Amino acid sequence: MTASKKGLTRRQLLSRSVAAGASLVVGSGFVAGNSATWAMGVDHLQPATMATLIQMARDIYPHDHVADEFYAIAVKGYDSADSAPMIEAGIAALDTAAQGKGHASYVDTGWERDRVDILRGIENSGFFQTIRGGLVTGLYNQKDVWPLFGYEGESFSKGGYLDRGFDDINWI
Amino acid sequence: MAAPFELSDDSVVVIIGTGAGGGVLANELAQKGVSVVALEAGGRYLPEDYINDEWDSFGQLAWLDARTTSGDWRVAKDFSGLPAWIVKAVGGTTTHWAGASLRFQDHEWKAATNYGPVQGASLLDWPIDPREMDDYYTKAETKLGVTRTGDRAGLPGNNNFKVFEAGAKALGYTEVHTGRMAINSANNDDRLACQQTGFCFQGCKWGAKWSAAYTDIPRGEATGNLEVRERAHVLKIEHDDSGKVTGVVYADADGNQHLQKARIVCVAGNSIESPRLLLNSASSMFPDGLANSSGQVGRNYMRHMTGSVYAVFDKPVKMWRGTTMAGIIQDESRHDPSRGFVGGYELETLALGLPFMAAFLDPGGWGREFTTALDSYENMAGMWIVGEDMPQETNRITLNHDVKDQYGLPAPNVHFDDHPNDIAMRNHAYKQGMAVYDAVGATRVFPTPPYPSTHNLGTNRMSENPRDGVVNKHGQTHDIANLFISDGSQFTTGAAENPTLTIVALAIRQADFIAAEMGRNTL
Ligand SMILES: Cc1cc2nc3c(=O)[nH]c(=O)nc-3n(C[C@H](O)[C@H](O)[C@H](O)COP(=O)(O)OP(=O)(O)OC[C@H]3O[C@@H](n4cnc5c(N)ncnc54)[C@H](O)[C@@H]3O)c2cc1C
Ligand code: SF4
């Protein structure tokens, strides 16, 4: 990961950041997993905005066995001068929608079903559709994600599956 | 090596597009000593260039020029700028294709007669006797090395097939096997046997699957009679005052335009670009486009009735291992109106990798209903449905003057509405497909909507009467004797079978006709 803060101990990292939802922390100029196994610098977005975006990405395509880091990579491209205004506005609207339902903010909405309810309310917006559409490749086309689903990817260099189990099913 | 022909050489046959139709026609004519210039919009990619990665391969090979969509088909909503999956490369979509190679059934050549009137459908009989096709089908099967034809053995079944086969048998289906595939089950015709790599849609890196890119095209070039100009995008077909075509204008890789003279022009750009080119070639003499006195150019666009069924089991399948589509159930391909629709359909195994599965399982879907399906990706099996769809005059390719391509020409708009017969057939096929998997213990099934069209057909249809269509039984346009259509856009009706074997058989047949007519100096 492009971890500008990599190398910090967990304690150091946590001391420089505040919690954003259940599993993320934000500090000045970075977002990190609260286990401190990864951190990502942000240049154009507010760190809190990026943290909300990562949570939103997970809520759109929730896979409990896929770590936040992969969702962070999937949306990292929005941390650009071009995209930042659109993302800041979209996330601000998301927080407003969360507040409209009595929550402090989107990431402070504890239950996934309540966050999904908020997302349902904006599901036809250009912002939501841009984020969702981008994730289809942003998340599922990460080669490091594939093994988490069992998918084996490229096989030519290994000689295909002719001798590696193309017909190894044993329960049918 | 390539035989360089002069731009001013008006003795050559110009072929536009080098896919299943154009690539085969080019080689067949070259073998007969006819001089051919084949113009191909895409570049040249060979097995060493193909990429075992779904999106990277798509980026390398797919036709991504501007296109628009309309109509009630779901593709218009989910993939509005991508109505079809078509390759832009030497060899055309035969780099992408899966290799399923089936003959039409006899009754399908005469759909109007055998199905009777169907409200809203423009059914018509092909002006070809099925018996006339027998030899051409045999030649095509030999060329492609189709398994389970001639003395070629079938492919071994992979995991995805074994689940499919067990379900089919449990349901009582009897015509179940690993398909008639243009994929070598043993080394054949200088091509290796299938190594079961599982990336048939991305170009076969072993050359086990037939593609014009590394068979017909280099063989044609080796005669010295065929020159393939790659990255040569044809913009317009020109004609003289007598109404005969005289050459084509194309843009080269740098965007410079050239005029290649021709004695005969054969259009084989697949069923969206071929009619578009005729429409974009309108002149004061032919204000509605070339060969369009019938008004049928661009109409009767067919894409086959399609859909997929995926299923999740409690144990691993690993469907991505091995051939993408080597498995078929043919019991439903008959014409049996008691099922509530005319025509029939095939069920064929299909596997997508995780990236494409995420994009196509339920386009637009999100949340846990969607993601729990992908969580079980390893335990998934899949099949594709392909059946005869009804030709409709209003399903058509038109020029969208509001959207221009990179050359400033109007983009094609692809309009498609499902016919009630298509919907009834799809619902039947979903039910049967899901039953196949339920019969072997599926814990969840997914009736998945059609993808962007891989089978694009019918937009320059073949007809006995010039009033009803664009080309005659040889693919020669009714209006202009030296203008031919050589791809799937000639199809009068679509039949239930994957189309490429028929496109190839028609191209071999057309080469015989063109060479004979040239010999007689009637062309
Ligand atoms: C993923 C996938 C799987 C498939 N699997 C099967 C299968 O198993 N069995 C089967 O029968 N069929 C299959 N098909 C369909 C099959 O590939 C097509 O039916 C067949 O290739 C169509 O042949 P064609 O000659 O009409 O066009 P194509 O093969 O598409 O060739 C058209 C060529 O024309 C070129 N062209 C277009 N316009 C111009 C222009 N203006 N100037 C110059 N060149 C131009 C294009 O770049 C292209 O190379 C599959 C298709 C896809 C996408
Ligand atoms: S599975 Fe066979 S035909 Fe398909 S790409 Fe691999 S080697 Fe080629």
Side-chain angles (χ1 to χ4, degrees), chain B residues 17 19-21 40-41 85 87-89 92-93 97-100 234 269-270 487-488 498-500:
Chain B
E40 169 54 56
W85 238 347
V87 170
K88 185 196 265 193
T93 315
W97 80 315
V234 177
N270 206 323
D487 59 14
N498 315 56
T500 306

Side-chain angles (χ1 to χ4, degrees), chain B residues 183 193-201 203-209 322-324:
Chain B
I183 295 179
C194 173
Q195 306 297 303
Q196 304 286 344
T197 52
F199 284 89
C200 307
F201 280 179
C204 178
K205 289 188 73 68
W206 304 93
K209 180 187 82 179
T323 43
T324 303

Side-chain angles (χ1 to χ4, degrees), chain A residues 60 62-63 112 123 152 155 171, chain B residues 197 316 320 366-368 371 375:
Chain A
I60 295 175
H63 293 286
E112 180 183 305
E123 134 177 75
E152 296 167 289
S155 83
W171 55 266
Chain B
T197 52
W320 64 87
W366 61 278
R368 284 197 187 261
T371 55
D375 284 339

